[in-house]
Amino acid sequence: AAQLAGGAAAVYVAQALRQRSVLGTPFQTKLLAEAFGTASLVATACLSQQGGSKLQPVAVGGLLLASVASLGDVSGAHFNPMVTACLMFHGSISREDGCNYICVQLATACAASWLCCCAGPVEASTTLAEMPSAGICGVEVVFGGLLAL
């Protein structure tokens, strides 16, 4: 059920971002796309690290590839404050827009890492039965949503 909820939420967000008129101004849509991409990236990195996955770089790289492909035309798919800062320095993005991007990226990165901490420590040998139920639900919603992209 949690995977379906995450998938449905991701499909709704992706469609809303593509329409660009549902969420208010085009700039608000860009900020939401950056928030979604940054949170997804941080959650994937944190959860695969907590799980002791040896394929963490593949998971993060795969998610980044999918996120850039699905959200790149909406916001530019920076998903990282340093990327945004470099683009500001280069002049590709205005200082005001860049500062807004960076604030959203930092806030969503902190929120995603906090949610991963709420899932509790996950050892490589931890089974789903040993994880806190809130953590399982959170993991299912996050990754169900990412798979729907």
Side-chain angles (χ1 to χ4, degrees), residues 32-140:
L32 183 60
E34 285 296 312
F36 188 74
T38 302
S40 302
L41 187 61
V42 170
T44 300
C46 289
L47 292 172
S48 60
Q49 176 66 32
Q50 283 180 348
S53 174
K54 293 179 181 173
L55 295 175
Q56 180 186 20
V58 175
V60 172
L63 175 88
L64 190 57
L65 179 69
S67 296
V68 168
S70 63
L71 299 174
D73 64 330
V74 176
S75 70
H78 305 173
F79 307 143
N80 184 327
M82 192 51 131
V83 172
T84 303
C86 289
L87 290 171
M88 282 174 31
F89 180 74
H90 184 264
S92 300
I93 186 172
S94 72
R95 184 174 294 192
E96 181 182 350
D97 288 355
C99 288
N100 286 323
Y101 269 44
I102 288 171
C103 288
V104 166
Q105 291 162 349
L106 291 174
T108 55
C110 289
S113 59
W114 177 79
L115 286 173
C116 290
C117 289
C118 289
V122 180
E123 301 296 327
S125 61
T126 301
T127 64
L128 287 177
E130 297 169 340
M131 282 184 71
S133 59
I136 294 170
C137 186
V139 170
E140 291 291 335

Side-chain angles (χ1 to χ4, degrees), residues 12-37:
Y12 175 77
V13 168
Q15 288 178 347
L17 291 172
R18 296 253 181 272
Q19 291 175 1
R20 294 191 177 108
S21 62
V22 175
L23 302 170
T25 67
F27 189 67
Q28 290 171 333
T29 302
K30 289 180 180 185
L31 292 178
L32 183 60
E34 285 296 312
F36 188 74

